[in-house]
Amino acid sequence: MAANMYRVGDYVYFENSSSNPYLVRRIEELNKTANGNVEAKVVCLFRRRDISSSLNSLADSNAREFEEESKQPGVSEQQRHQLKHRELFLSRQFESLPATHIRGKCSVTLLNETDILSQYLEKEDCFFYSLVFDPVQKTLLADQGEIRVGCKYQAEIPDRLAEGESDNRNQQKMEMKVWDPDNPLTDRQIDQFLVVARAVGTFARALDCSSSIRQPSLHMSAAAASRDITLFHAMDTLQRNGYDLAKAMSTLVPQGGPVLCRDEMEEWSASEAMLFEEALEKYGKDFNDIRQDFLPWKSLASIVQFYYMWKTTDRYIQQKRLKAAEADSKLKQVYIPTYTKPNPNQIISVGSKPGMNGAGFQKGLTCESCHTTQSAQWYAWGPPNMQCRLCASCWIYWKKYGGLKTPTQLEGAARGTTEPHSRGHLSRPEAQSLSPYTTSANRAKLLAKNRQTFLLQTTKLTRLARRMCRDLLQPRRAARRPYAPINANAIKAECSIRLPKAAKTPLKIHPLVRLPLATIVKDLVAQAPLKPKTPRGTKTPINRNQLTQNRGLGGIMVKRAYETMAGAGVPFSANGRPLASGIRSSSQPAAKRQKLNPADAPNPVVFVATKDTRALRKALTHLEMRRAARRPNLPLKVKPPLIAVRPPVPLSAPAHPASTNEPIVLED
């Protein structure tokens, strides 16, 4: 009964999604709506997964400073990973949520230097916070309510001076003595002087025009003169005059008239007091926000002094009674029964009909967090196409703490470092933008199509599974269908079963015969003769009508040349057209000119099919077409159709293209 009773001030879990972790909130108010439901006005607390990566790095540096200052005992990497799940960030944001979405209680405390971080892992539903998150400004700041405990906050007491030793300290920086309890005056004489000071203050307010408007009656003026500011002025006058009553009397009433002393209660107008009460209702005792939004012409010290004087007035007592009556009318606690409905992410027993509740998962899957294969209940977790799941205990941990017990790749585990000059991690538009055949204008278009970088990082078990379970993996079939999903967890589970048996019999490794380096260099020189490097920054224009220009396809894997497919000796260019007909002179009309956008091209070189190329494709059978698609680098022998072939045009020696920043566009 007590566990399901929730009161104002409790930290609770709220569920806003069946697959996402719980929200941690603090109940500020419990209000009953017109339709009879109960809504809770709560303060938002955020997890690390709710803030940006830059703020996470800032929180990490703050955590390291805390560990160094408080001299925390060492923890393992897994404990450090789980401590990030226990850290919350307080905020000033409020929201209203249905009370029926409450899923339990938790404990949130302010992190103190005397606390040991590992103790939070030993307690269930226990969190801590040390920073305040602003969702609007996206900032992390230290909490103003920090408890200053520790050796660095203690006062340094100087040594006691010996008798006759002079004090060499700077007396101007020391505190000033304002009252001597061992003065020659009696208590009766002091009280009589204070009465005279109050009378002088009342007379001074009667002479002041502004005071007579604010305190039109004698009683109000006398009450204002009896405040602490008048008494402090009288006692300070006695101290400055050496407790001589005659001198002090003459100081109270100088030649120009009586001295008028006012405090903040008299200096503030009625409209300013109303603004202060409105700001106090909205922000509480956050005097910085009160000054910034409501009273910018007042100093912070003036607002603080007015607050403590305002608490002594009848206005404060009246508002306190109204708030107490309003609090009595509101709900103080609410009973929420235990939530027993099944979770939509719950997986029905394996082998049931695929459909709702995550049914249809493949056998052999393990828990993504603890890697167990046995659990009373399983829950779907992560993207649906990944088919990841969690056991019952890890699912409860995920819902409460917003993470897994062990770091995984899906949670953003650290990736291996890559070479700074390698292009293997770049996407296709980024790699094209670094090409010398791309201009600066088109480079911006290519980068505009940039997508998120995907990096495949394999483990030793994955590499072993590729060799041990080739019958299940079928790598050739998987390479032909890269879009089809592979159940990696089932293959790894089968590999762990076969691994003890396979350890006794070594794997058959087929040695790969590699050509010597000299042969490879000769082949490369024959395909693309080396040319001197062009100085950086110079642009070499490409003559598009030059017959001897090489398109740079000699050193890469290209499409088959037309003469290889047809068996004829007619030379063709890279796009499959004869050189004689594929070259356009300046006198030819450009009515059918095809404009190609470099941003839409997958590679810097564009292949345009002709009628002859399409006719050859029709001559291929379905089986020959599939074989050609799987091995595009091998020559293809097909009987060409009967077409009229023009006599060959003599060509000069191919020249290696110089680097340029312009894209190569093959025109029709």
Coordinates of all heavy atoms in Angstrom, one line a residue, residues 237-289:
T237 N 26.1 56.0 15.9 CA 26.5 57.4 16.3 C 27.1 57.4 17.7 O 28.1 58.1 17.9 CB 25.2 58.2 16.4 OG1 24.6 58.2 15.1 CG2 25.5 59.7 16.8
L238 N 26.7 56.5 18.6 CA 27.3 56.4 19.9 C 28.7 55.9 19.8 O 29.7 56.4 20.5 CB 26.5 55.5 20.8 CG 25.2 56.0 21.4 CD1 24.5 54.9 22.2 CD2 25.5 57.2 22.3
Q239 N 29.0 54.9 18.9 CA 30.3 54.4 18.8 C 31.3 55.4 18.2 O 32.4 55.5 18.6 CB 30.2 53.1 17.8 CG 31.6 52.6 17.4 CD 32.3 51.9 18.5 OE1 31.7 51.6 19.5 NE2 33.6 51.7 18.3
R240 N 30.8 56.2 17.2 CA 31.7 57.2 16.6 C 32.0 58.4 17.5 O 33.1 59.0 17.4 CB 31.1 57.7 15.3 CG 31.2 56.7 14.1 CD 30.8 57.3 12.8 NE 29.3 57.3 12.7 CZ 28.6 58.4 12.8 NH1 29.2 59.6 13.0 NH2 27.3 58.4 12.6
N241 N 31.1 58.6 18.5 CA 31.4 59.8 19.4 C 31.9 59.3 20.7 O 31.9 60.1 21.7 CB 30.1 60.5 19.6 CG 29.6 61.3 18.4 OD1 30.1 62.4 18.1 ND2 28.7 60.7 17.6
G242 N 32.4 58.1 20.8 CA 33.0 57.6 22.0 C 32.1 57.5 23.2 O 32.5 57.6 24.4
Y243 N 30.8 57.2 22.9 CA 29.8 57.0 23.9 C 29.6 58.2 24.8 O 29.3 58.1 26.0 CB 30.1 55.7 24.7 CG 30.1 54.5 23.9 CD1 31.3 54.0 23.4 CD2 29.0 53.8 23.6 CE1 31.4 52.8 22.6 CE2 29.0 52.6 22.8 CZ 30.2 52.2 22.3 OH 30.3 51.1 21.5
D244 N 29.7 59.4 24.1 CA 29.4 60.6 24.8 C 28.0 61.1 24.3 O 27.8 61.4 23.2 CB 30.5 61.7 24.4 CG 30.3 63.0 25.2 OD1 29.3 63.1 25.9 OD2 31.2 63.8 25.1
L245 N 27.1 61.1 25.3 CA 25.7 61.4 24.9 C 25.5 62.8 24.4 O 24.7 63.0 23.5 CB 24.8 61.2 26.2 CG 24.6 59.7 26.7 CD1 23.8 59.7 27.9 CD2 24.0 58.9 25.6
A246 N 26.2 63.8 24.9 CA 26.1 65.1 24.4 C 26.5 65.3 22.9 O 25.8 65.9 22.1 CB 26.9 66.1 25.3
K247 N 27.7 64.7 22.6 CA 28.1 64.7 21.2 C 27.2 63.9 20.3 O 26.9 64.3 19.2 CB 29.5 64.2 21.1 CG 30.6 65.1 21.8 CD 32.0 64.4 21.6 CE 33.1 65.3 22.2 NZ 34.4 64.7 22.0
A248 N 26.7 62.8 20.8 CA 25.8 62.0 20.0 C 24.5 62.7 19.7 O 24.0 62.6 18.6 CB 25.6 60.6 20.7
M249 N 24.0 63.5 20.7 CA 22.7 64.3 20.5 C 22.9 65.3 19.4 O 22.1 65.5 18.5 CB 22.3 64.9 21.8 CG 21.8 64.0 22.8 SD 20.2 63.3 22.4 CE 19.8 62.4 23.9
S250 N 24.1 66.0 19.4 CA 24.3 67.0 18.4 C 24.5 66.4 17.0 O 24.2 67.0 16.0 CB 25.5 67.8 18.8 OG 26.7 67.0 18.9
T251 N 25.0 65.2 17.0 CA 25.1 64.5 15.7 C 23.8 64.1 15.1 O 23.6 64.1 13.9 CB 26.1 63.3 15.8 OG1 27.3 63.7 16.4 CG2 26.4 62.6 14.5
L252 N 22.8 63.7 16.0 CA 21.5 63.3 15.5 C 20.8 64.5 14.8 O 20.1 64.3 13.9 CB 20.7 62.7 16.6 CG 21.0 61.3 17.1 CD1 20.1 60.9 18.2 CD2 20.8 60.3 15.9
V253 N 21.0 65.7 15.4 CA 20.3 66.9 14.9 C 21.4 67.9 14.5 O 21.7 68.8 15.3 CB 19.3 67.5 15.9 CG1 18.5 68.6 15.3 CG2 18.4 66.4 16.5
P254 N 21.9 67.8 13.3 CA 22.9 68.8 12.9 C 22.3 70.1 12.6 O 21.1 70.4 12.8 CB 23.5 68.1 11.6 CG 22.4 67.3 11.1 CD 21.7 66.8 12.3
Q255 N 23.1 71.1 12.1 CA 22.6 72.4 11.9 C 21.6 72.5 10.8 O 20.6 73.3 10.8 CB 23.8 73.3 11.5 CG 23.5 74.8 11.4 CD 24.7 75.7 11.2 OE1 25.8 75.2 11.1 NE2 24.5 77.0 11.1
G256 N 21.6 71.6 9.7 CA 20.7 71.7 8.6 C 19.3 71.1 8.9 O 18.4 71.2 8.2
G257 N 19.2 70.3 10.0 CA 17.9 69.6 10.3 C 18.2 68.2 10.8 O 19.3 67.7 10.7
P258 N 17.2 67.5 11.2 CA 17.3 66.1 11.7 C 17.7 65.2 10.5 O 17.4 65.4 9.4 CB 16.0 65.8 12.3 CG 15.0 66.7 11.5 CD 15.7 67.9 11.3
V259 N 18.5 64.1 10.9 CA 18.9 63.1 10.0 C 17.8 62.1 9.7 O 17.2 61.6 10.7 CB 20.2 62.4 10.5 CG1 20.6 61.3 9.5 CG2 21.3 63.4 10.7
L260 N 17.5 61.9 8.4 CA 16.5 60.9 8.0 C 17.1 59.6 7.5 O 17.9 59.7 6.5 CB 15.5 61.5 7.0 CG 14.4 60.6 6.4 CD1 13.5 60.1 7.5 CD2 13.7 61.3 5.3
C261 N 16.9 58.5 8.1 CA 17.4 57.2 7.7 C 16.3 56.3 7.2 O 15.2 56.2 7.8 CB 18.1 56.5 8.9 SG 19.5 57.4 9.5
R262 N 16.4 55.8 5.9 CA 15.4 55.0 5.3 C 16.0 53.6 5.0 O 17.2 53.5 4.7 CB 14.9 55.6 4.0 CG 14.1 56.9 4.2 CD 13.7 57.4 2.9 NE 12.8 58.6 3.0 CZ 12.4 59.3 1.9 NH1 12.8 59.0 0.7 NH2 11.6 60.3 2.1
D263 N 15.2 52.6 5.0 CA 15.6 51.3 4.6 C 14.9 51.0 3.3 O 14.2 51.8 2.7 CB 15.3 50.2 5.7 CG 13.8 50.3 6.0 OD1 13.0 51.0 5.4 OD2 13.4 49.6 7.0
E264 N 15.1 49.7 2.8 CA 14.5 49.3 1.5 C 13.0 49.3 1.5 O 12.4 49.5 0.5 CB 15.1 48.0 1.1 CG 16.6 48.0 0.8 CD 17.0 48.8 -0.4 OE1 16.1 49.0 -1.2 OE2 18.1 49.3 -0.4
M265 N 12.5 49.1 2.7 CA 11.0 49.0 2.8 C 10.4 50.4 2.5 O 9.3 50.4 1.9 CB 10.6 48.5 4.2 CG 9.3 47.9 4.2 SD 9.3 46.3 3.3 CE 7.6 45.9 3.4
E266 N 11.0 51.4 2.8 CA 10.5 52.8 2.5 C 10.9 53.3 1.2 O 10.2 54.1 0.6 CB 11.0 53.8 3.6 CG 10.5 53.5 5.0 CD 10.9 54.6 6.0 OE1 10.4 55.7 5.9 OE2 11.9 54.3 6.7
E267 N 12.1 52.8 0.6 CA 12.5 53.3 -0.7 C 11.7 52.7 -1.8 O 11.5 53.4 -2.8 CB 14.0 52.9 -0.9 CG 15.0 53.6 0.1 CD 15.1 55.1 -0.3 OE1 14.7 55.5 -1.4 OE2 15.6 55.9 0.6
W268 N 11.1 51.5 -1.6 CA 10.4 50.9 -2.7 C 9.0 51.5 -2.7 O 8.3 51.7 -1.7 CB 10.3 49.4 -2.5 CG 11.6 48.7 -2.8 CD1 12.9 49.0 -2.4 CD2 11.8 47.5 -3.5 NE1 13.8 48.2 -2.9 CE2 13.1 47.1 -3.6 CE3 10.9 46.6 -4.1 CZ2 13.6 46.0 -4.2 CZ3 11.4 45.5 -4.8 CH2 12.7 45.2 -4.8
S269 N 8.5 51.6 -4.0 CA 7.1 52.1 -4.1 C 6.1 50.9 -4.1 O 6.5 49.7 -4.1 CB 6.9 52.8 -5.5 OG 7.2 51.9 -6.5
A270 N 4.8 51.2 -4.0 CA 3.8 50.1 -4.0 C 3.8 49.3 -5.2 O 3.6 48.0 -5.2 CB 2.4 50.7 -3.7
S271 N 4.0 49.9 -6.4 CA 4.0 49.1 -7.7 C 5.3 48.2 -7.7 O 5.2 47.1 -8.2 CB 4.0 50.1 -8.9 OG 5.2 51.0 -8.8
E272 N 6.4 48.7 -7.2 CA 7.6 47.8 -7.2 C 7.4 46.6 -6.3 O 7.8 45.5 -6.5 CB 8.8 48.6 -6.8 CG 9.2 49.6 -7.8 CD 10.4 50.5 -7.3 OE1 10.6 50.6 -6.1 OE2 11.1 51.1 -8.2
A273 N 6.7 46.9 -5.2 CA 6.4 45.8 -4.2 C 5.5 44.7 -4.9 O 5.6 43.5 -4.7 CB 5.8 46.3 -2.9
M274 N 4.5 45.2 -5.7 CA 3.6 44.3 -6.4 C 4.4 43.4 -7.4 O 4.1 42.2 -7.6 CB 2.5 45.0 -7.0 CG 1.5 45.7 -6.1 SD 0.6 44.6 -5.1 CE -0.5 43.9 -6.3
L275 N 5.3 44.1 -8.1 CA 6.1 43.4 -9.1 C 7.0 42.3 -8.4 O 7.1 41.2 -8.9 CB 7.0 44.3 -9.8 CG 6.4 45.1 -11.0 CD1 7.4 46.1 -11.6 CD2 5.9 44.2 -12.1
F276 N 7.5 42.7 -7.2 CA 8.3 41.7 -6.5 C 7.5 40.5 -6.0 O 7.9 39.3 -6.1 CB 8.9 42.4 -5.3 CG 9.7 41.4 -4.4 CD1 11.0 41.0 -4.7 CD2 9.1 41.0 -3.2 CE1 11.7 40.2 -3.9 CE2 9.8 40.1 -2.4 CZ 11.1 39.7 -2.7
E277 N 6.3 40.7 -5.6 CA 5.4 39.6 -5.1 C 5.0 38.7 -6.3 O 5.0 37.5 -6.2 CB 4.2 40.1 -4.5 CG 4.4 40.8 -3.1 CD 3.1 41.4 -2.5 OE1 2.1 41.3 -3.2 OE2 3.2 42.0 -1.4
E278 N 4.8 39.3 -7.5 CA 4.5 38.5 -8.7 C 5.7 37.7 -9.1 O 5.6 36.5 -9.5 CB 4.1 39.4 -9.8 CG 3.7 38.7 -11.1 CD 3.3 39.7 -12.2 OE1 3.2 40.9 -11.9 OE2 3.1 39.2 -13.3
A279 N 6.9 38.3 -9.1 CA 8.1 37.6 -9.4 C 8.4 36.5 -8.4 O 8.9 35.4 -8.8 CB 9.3 38.5 -9.5
L280 N 8.2 36.7 -7.2 CA 8.4 35.7 -6.1 C 7.5 34.5 -6.3 O 7.9 33.4 -6.0 CB 8.3 36.3 -4.7 CG 8.8 35.5 -3.6 CD1 10.3 35.4 -3.6 CD2 8.4 36.1 -2.2
E281 N 6.3 34.8 -6.8 CA 5.4 33.7 -7.0 C 5.8 32.8 -8.2 O 5.6 31.6 -8.2 CB 4.0 34.3 -7.3 CG 2.9 33.2 -7.6 CD 2.5 32.5 -6.3 OE1 2.7 33.0 -5.2 OE2 1.9 31.4 -6.4
K282 N 6.5 33.4 -9.2 CA 6.9 32.7 -10.4 C 8.2 32.0 -10.2 O 8.4 30.8 -10.6 CB 6.9 33.7 -11.6 CG 7.3 33.0 -12.9 CD 7.3 34.0 -14.0 CE 7.7 33.4 -15.3 NZ 7.7 34.3 -16.5
Y283 N 9.2 32.7 -9.7 CA 10.6 32.2 -9.6 C 11.0 31.7 -8.2 O 12.1 31.1 -8.1 CB 11.6 33.2 -10.1 CG 11.5 33.6 -11.5 CD1 11.1 34.9 -11.9 CD2 11.7 32.7 -12.5 CE1 11.0 35.2 -13.3 CE2 11.6 33.0 -13.9 CZ 11.3 34.3 -14.2 OH 11.2 34.6 -15.6
G284 N 10.2 31.9 -7.2 CA 10.6 31.6 -5.9 C 11.7 32.5 -5.4 O 11.7 33.7 -5.7
K285 N 12.7 32.0 -4.7 CA 13.8 32.8 -4.2 C 15.0 32.8 -5.1 O 16.1 32.9 -4.6 CB 14.2 32.3 -2.8 CG 13.2 32.5 -1.7 CD 13.7 32.2 -0.3 CE 14.0 30.7 -0.2 NZ 14.4 30.4 1.2
D286 N 14.7 32.8 -6.4 CA 15.8 32.9 -7.4 C 15.9 34.4 -7.7 O 15.3 35.0 -8.7 CB 15.5 32.1 -8.6 CG 16.7 31.9 -9.5 OD1 17.7 32.7 -9.4 OD2 16.7 31.0 -10.4
F287 N 16.7 35.2 -6.9 CA 16.7 36.6 -7.0 C 17.4 37.1 -8.3 O 17.1 38.2 -8.7 CB 17.5 37.2 -5.8 CG 16.8 36.9 -4.5 CD1 17.4 36.0 -3.5 CD2 15.5 37.3 -4.2 CE1 16.8 35.7 -2.3 CE2 14.9 37.0 -3.0 CZ 15.5 36.2 -2.1
N288 N 18.3 36.3 -8.9 CA 18.9 36.7 -10.1 C 17.9 36.8 -11.2 O 17.8 37.8 -12.0 CB 20.0 35.7 -10.5 CG 21.2 35.9 -9.6 OD1 21.7 37.0 -9.4 ND2 21.7 34.7 -9.1
D289 N 17.0 35.8 -11.3 CA 15.9 35.8 -12.3 C 14.9 36.9 -12.0 O 14.4 37.5 -13.0 CB 15.2 34.5 -12.4 CG 16.1 33.4 -13.0 OD1 17.2 33.8 -13.6 OD2 15.8 32.2 -12.8

